[in-house]
Amino acid sequence: ATNSGCKILEQGIYHNLLLQKIQLFEVLGPVQPVVAVAGEDVVLPCYLKPNISAVDLHVEWIRVQIDNPIVHLYRDHEDRNENQVPSYRGRTSLFPEELKKGNTSLKLYDVRSSDDGPYKCFTSLVSVAVGTQPVISNEGYKEGGISLVCESKGWYPQPQVVWMDSEGHSLPAGHTETQRDSMGLFTVRRRVIVQETETNRFTCRVLQQELNEMKETITNIPGELHIFSINKGGGGVVVRWHGGFSQCLLFCLLFVLLDAQF
């Protein structure tokens, strides 16, 4: 054997035992180091206990204690090795038929001395959840306009919340408030202050780009942006108009009727 081959024989390729409980199964590997000779192929064992299918799971092999440690990644029923350590390109594979039996072992081709070191096998459920249809609540007049609140529950991962006008343009809104329930699912909530428009129609859109899922709700609030307040004092009645002027005639008529009552 070459010197580099002897080095691997002496030091071995250390595949650490990973004992990780994931809901109803465990991920197991060998306690003793796996030994290989430079230039040969080697299998790094990893199994699920009980031997349930790993076809729908997330399987990740990493190299311990190095930057960008991904050696092999299986997700969404296919290999995703775009961010793999460059030196492993084209030299790793799982056993597709064995995944059904809970075998998540990694085959490493053409072993090199630089491969020497500890590895870990992570297997986990890829949890996703699509939330509820957004619910829009009207909080009334605040800060010079109408305050609308959009809320949606039961998302994972956390989605985005976007407010839009009737033409689909994004509106400036407050920060998105988030909460997580006992199942780890997200409830998202976001407020917006809206001004009078020709239609007074606004849309709340909740989207999760990773899942390619989107839900939206449209609200129409005709007339609700034309708000006034009445203060009665010793000097008479003071009426403050908080909306636009498109309904001025109606407002003036209402003012006359109110003034007559006072």
Side-chain angles (χ1 to χ4, degrees), residues 98-116:
E98 291 293 313
L99 287 174
K100 301 174 184 178
K101 305 174 185 178
N103 182 354
T104 58
S105 301
L106 178 75
K107 186 168 185 178
L108 180 60
Y109 300 89
D110 187 21
V111 171
R112 306 170 184 175
S113 60
S114 60
D115 296 333
D116 185 41

Side-chain angles (χ1 to χ4, degrees), residues 63-79:
R63 180 78 180 270
V64 180
Q65 299 175 344
I66 69 170
D67 296 331
N68 183 30
I70 298 176
V71 173
H72 194 94
L73 176 62
Y74 170 88
R75 186 178 64 192
D76 299 331
H77 305 105
E78 62 182 3
D79 296 326

Side-chain angles (χ1 to χ4, degrees), residues 4-5 7-10 12-13 34-38 40-42 111:
S4 59
K7 181 178 179 182
I8 290 183
L9 281 170
E10 293 170 358
I13 298 179
V34 175
V35 180
V37 177
E40 295 184 353
D41 302 338
V42 67
V111 171

Side-chain angles (χ1 to χ4, degrees), residues 70-223:
I70 298 176
V71 173
H72 194 94
L73 176 62
Y74 170 88
R75 186 178 64 192
D76 299 331
H77 305 105
E78 62 182 3
D79 296 326
R80 300 290 187 93
N81 288 323
E82 297 84 0
N83 298 319
Q84 184 183 42
V85 178
S87 62
Y88 290 94
R89 292 281 166 81
R91 297 200 299 124
T92 63
S93 70
L94 300 180
F95 297 85
E97 292 302 317
E98 291 293 313
L99 287 174
K100 301 174 184 178
K101 305 174 185 178
N103 182 354
T104 58
S105 301
L106 178 75
K107 186 168 185 178
L108 180 60
Y109 300 89
D110 187 21
V111 171
R112 306 170 184 175
S113 60
S114 60
D115 296 333
D116 185 41
Y119 294 75
K120 285 187 178 181
C121 170
F122 292 95
T123 305
S124 62
L125 293 172
V126 182
S127 301
V128 296
V130 179
T132 60
Q133 193 73 22
V135 175
I136 297 177
S137 303
N138 187 330
E139 294 186 318
Y141 179 78
K142 289 184 179 181
E143 303 176 15
I146 289 290
S147 176
L148 302 177
V149 182
C150 176
E151 181 178 279
S152 182
K153 302 178 180 180
W155 290 89
Y156 191 87
Q158 180 180 332
Q160 295 177 287
V161 182
V162 180
W163 277 100
M164 298 179 297
D165 61 19
S166 59
E167 297 180 353
H169 299 142
S170 179
L171 295 172
H175 73 280
T176 301
E177 304 172 26
T178 62
Q179 293 179 331
R180 298 188 73 171
D181 61 21
S182 59
M183 299 294 292
L185 302 180
F186 286 94
T187 294
V188 289
R189 187 182 300 106
R190 195 175 190 188
R191 287 176 171 81
V192 66
I193 303 296
V194 297
Q195 306 296 329
E196 179 184 7
T197 67
E198 292 183 0
T199 62
N200 284 345
R201 186 180 69 183
F202 304 95
T203 300
C204 174
R205 175 174 294 174
V206 181
L207 64 156
Q208 171 45 257
Q209 294 180 344
E210 294 180 26
L211 307 181
N212 195 29
E213 291 285 348
M214 183 270 290
K215 292 192 175 185
E216 65 179 33
T217 298
I218 300 173
T219 185
N220 291 276
I221 48 176

